Amino acid sequence: MSCACILVAMLFVVRTAQQWITLDEPHLRLWLDVQQVLLTPARRLACLLIALIPSTINAWGLMRLSGAFAGFASGESFTPRAIARLRDFAAASTLSVLTAMVSVPVIALVVTYGAKSGLELAVNIGTGSLTSLLVSGVVWLVVHVLALANAMEKQNTALKEENGRLASENAQFI
């Protein structure tokens, strides 16, 4: 799973770049559902950079998840470091979806600015985005519960040690 996360992270970034380098105006109009676009090289570059923001955030989250899986494989289960990596993945997934939701209207404004049909705003929120938000929320919640369980285990261990010391002290008085 660690290697799969690394591969998918790289694929997200490369595929996003490839898509914006090869995207033509008719497909862009269809994707944004706008009447007309002006796709100059400078605008294409701007759109590529905007589109890379959520992809890069998602890739970073997948790299953190890869580290968590590598830790699990080496016996590092539910340690503070593993929990932090899982939390980072959930946060990155959420942030990636939210930035993607914002980037589409910005891209639409960039490519429709100065068009004869006028400036158009596009919003593209699909079930995949909503599902990603839901899954990220579930991962975040599970990680939060794991962090609480880890803290409770440490507290329980400390109480047992203190109880053992007190029992030793009490034994001296008996």
Side-chain angles (χ1 to χ4, degrees), residues 86-136:
L86 290 171
R87 183 178 294 133
D88 289 347
F89 166 71
S93 295
T94 300
L95 188 59
S96 174
V97 170
L98 295 176
T99 57
M101 288 178 181
V102 171
S103 69
V104 171
V106 172
I107 288 171
L109 292 174
V110 167
V111 297
T112 61
Y113 179 77
K116 291 179 184 177
S117 60
L119 195 61
E120 294 186 59
L121 184 66
V123 177
N124 187 356
I125 301 171
T127 56
S129 297
L130 298 176
T131 302
S132 292
L133 284 175
L134 179 65
V135 169
S136 296

Side-chain angles (χ1 to χ4, degrees), residues 57-72:
I57 293 169
N58 201 9
W60 179 81
L62 285 167
M63 296 303 289
R64 295 296 290 168
L65 183 61
S66 171
F69 283 134
F72 293 158

Side-chain angles (χ1 to χ4, degrees), residues 136-157:
S136 296
V138 168
V139 170
W140 186 273
L141 182 63
V142 168
V143 168
H144 182 70
V145 168
L146 289 173
L148 289 174
N150 195 9
M152 289 173 63
E153 179 184 3
K154 285 181 181 178
Q155 186 178 23
N156 192 28
T157 300

